[in-house]
Amino acid sequence: MSLGSIDQSAQKLLRVQLPSIERGYDIVLQRGLLQSSHALQHQLLALPRRPKQVFLISQEVVSSRYSQALCHALEALDIPVSIYLLPQGEDAKSLSEAEVCYHAALESGLTRSGLVIALGGGIVGDLAGFIAATFARGVPFLQIPTTLLAQIDSSVGGKVAVNLSYRQRLLKNAVGVFYQPQAVWIDPDTLATLPPRELLAGLAELTKYAFIEQSALARPLSDQSTASEPSFLDSLEHHAKSWASHLDAWILRCCQIKLAVVERDETEQMGLDPTGRVCLNLGHTFGHALESVSHHGLLHGEAVALGMRLASHLSHQLGLLSAASYQRVHRLLDALNLAKVYPAQCSVESLIAAMRHDKKNPSADEITLILPQDPLGHVVVCRDIAIGDVRRTLSECLKGL
């Protein structure tokens, strides 16, 4: 699969400005960055201060492909580096693994004058960010996401977390903090080595941004003004068959959409306001339940794709989404070849039980859901949906399992 190409020297920047940090930081998109020690030296020198040591957290496959030039750049700047490799899989994002990582950080001599670097996908970024935020009460860190999902979503916005095992369930991101990185460096060339399944999982999260764009940009439902450029949803629909050729622009588009939300609601103080961070959870309440009940047989993005199908079904059932918009959602998900088959072990009651533990719920008896609504691109936050309506949606969508 060809992922397109641009001038290797081309660099695109987004500047992040948040009240919580003294100065902003950059999101840098540059093809070939991780293969050029010279380019990496340039980026390291652009950080707010030069670290005295680096603690690099990655995984074996990613490190073997992408850490060499980075280590050479650090050595050229006389910055010692220690590498800690996480195990594969969701189990790596745990408190027990964090403790092992703390010990490795101590052995490496990491202090507050150092820098934690996350090199990898969302699991690495979340765990490394959590380590950075909590070790010695806070060490600067750098996000270098190497998967599509991490590049467009988890590396941006400062949410870092680990999972928690509770009553034989894995609660996603149950323990965490908000902690902003020093920078985010994105090299889309890393996507060429991703397995197709992981690439499509990231594409599902990318599609989510098209379905929330208008709410994320705080555009009112009544705003019918014609923008100078097509909406993200229009662009995705128009280029669905050639999506791989547009990833550079779309990665930046997702980052811009997420930053619009984060700058407005950095630490989730806006509650259930659909223009706050809660809008980023479209498809996630269903999705996290699907991940849990399938024992993580689904990738996160696959679960989100299925979650968006369920959310659109429920929204249509509740009269919030027209038949035409409902069909438009599914047409796009199908055109992008995103997940549509539910795991066999998922039952209606097991999914409802898992959804009761979602962080957004005010209580175990109330399930909060973010649903798409007309016109598409907007979402609504619903906290008073009858369990019977949720059960009906699940029953109709899981029919045949």
Side-chain angles (χ1 to χ4, degrees):
M1 180 182 295
S2 171
L3 291 174
S5 63
I6 60 173
D7 183 348
Q8 293 289 306
S9 64
Q11 182 188 101
K12 298 179 181 179
L13 291 175
L14 291 176
R15 187 68 175 168
V16 181
Q17 298 286 355
L18 295 169
S20 66
I21 49 180
E22 191 172 311
R23 51 178 289 172
Y25 64 88
D26 291 331
I27 297 174
V28 178
L29 185 145
Q30 183 175 347
R31 282 193 176 269
L33 176 63
L34 293 182
Q35 300 300 329
S36 170
S37 59
H38 177 73
L40 287 163
Q41 283 182 55
H42 175 78
Q43 294 301 333
L44 286 164
L45 290 171
L47 293 175
R49 63 174 176 79
R50 185 182 299 196
K52 290 188 177 179
Q53 69 274 121
V54 163
F55 186 61
L56 174 63
I57 301 176
S58 189
Q59 290 172 313
E60 186 173 0
V61 173
V62 176
S63 178
S64 65
R65 286 174 176 157
Y66 302 118
S67 67
Q68 186 175 9
L70 179 58
C71 289
H72 286 165
L74 291 165
E75 290 165 7
L77 296 173
D78 294 320
I79 301 172
V81 56
S82 297
I83 300 177
Y84 180 77
L85 298 179
L86 294 173
Q88 296 295 129
E90 194 74 29
D91 289 344
K93 215 172 86 172
S94 65
L95 286 169
S96 58
E97 184 60 37
E99 184 174 14
V100 177
C101 202
Y102 290 138
H103 293 166
L106 286 168
E107 290 291 331
S108 77
L110 181 68
T111 68
R112 291 185 194 176
S113 63
L115 177 71
V116 174
I117 297 181
L119 175 65
I123 290 172
V124 171
D126 281 359
L127 188 282
F130 182 79
I131 294 296
T134 52
F135 185 83
R137 296 197 184 100
V139 177
F141 90 112
L142 169 66
Q143 286 272 22
I144 309 181
T146 59
T147 65
L148 179 56
L149 195 149
Q151 289 175 359
I152 64 170
D153 189 74
S154 61
S155 68
V156 179
K159 266 192 175 182
V160 295
V162 294
N163 302 329
L164 188 66
S165 295
Y166 176 72
R167 294 183 179 177
Q168 299 182 316
R169 296 188 189 280
L170 189 65
L171 304 183
K172 293 271 291 185
N173 303 322
V175 180
V177 295
F178 294 97
Y179 193 65
Q180 298 295 338
Q182 297 274 296
V184 180
W185 299 347
I186 298 171
D187 181 355
D189 281 351
T190 62
L191 304 182
T193 59
L194 275 187
R197 185 184 174 196
E198 281 198 36
L199 197 56
L200 285 176
L203 189 62
E205 194 81 42
L206 183 147
T207 305
K208 175 202 76 177
Y209 280 97
F211 291 136
I212 71 168
E213 182 181 31
Q214 307 309 316
S215 287
L217 298 179
R219 291 177 179 160
L221 286 170
S222 58
D223 185 3
Q224 299 298 319
S225 61
T226 303
S228 59
E229 62 178 13
S231 71
F232 193 17
L233 181 57
D234 291 336
S235 296
L236 270 179
E237 289 174 323
H238 187 68
H239 299 292
K241 298 302 181 185
S242 58
W243 60 264
S245 301
H246 300 271
L247 277 181
D248 288 39
W250 289 351
I251 289 168
L252 283 177
R253 185 75 165 257
C254 290
C255 290
Q256 289 169 325
I257 294 169
K258 185 162 188 179
L259 286 177
V261 176
V262 173
E263 287 171 357
R264 189 183 310 121
D265 187 21
E266 183 183 359
T267 58
E268 287 187 330
Q269 299 305 302
M270 291 176 65
L272 300 182
D273 185 328
T275 66
R277 283 191 87 137
V278 71
C279 76
L280 300 169
N281 288 288
L282 175 66
H284 282 60
T285 305
F286 284 116
H288 285 158
L290 286 161
E291 284 183 271
S292 177
V293 173
S294 69
H295 303 291
H296 294 275
L298 289 170
L299 297 177
H300 176 69
E302 292 171 333
V304 169
L306 293 172
M308 289 190 294
R309 291 181 186 274
L310 289 165
S312 64
H313 187 284
L314 178 57
S315 187
H316 178 46
Q317 176 183 310
L318 295 174
L320 301 170
L321 198 64
S322 68
S325 293
Y326 170 78
Q327 291 163 6
R328 190 180 178 192
V329 169
H330 286 259
R331 221 173 19 246
L332 179 57
L333 295 175
D334 290 345
L336 294 171
N337 199 30
L338 300 182
K340 63 190 302 183
V341 177
Y342 297 89
Q345 65 266 50
C346 291
S347 68
V348 171
E349 296 309 319
S350 66
L351 289 171
I352 288 176
M355 290 170 71
R356 290 184 189 275
H357 291 288
D358 190 271
K359 297 188 299 297
K360 297 180 295 300
N361 297 338
S363 74
D365 296 321
E366 298 177 273
I367 295 177
T368 299
L369 287 164
I370 294 82
L371 302 177
Q373 68 170 330
D374 286 318
L376 265 183
H378 293 88
V379 298
V380 60
V381 181
C382 300
R383 63 182 301 177
D384 55 354
I385 299 174
I387 292 294
D389 287 326
V390 177
R391 185 175 284 111
R392 178 182 161 196
T393 283
L394 290 170
S395 297
E396 291 177 358
C397 293
L398 270 61
K399 195 177 297 180
L401 289 182

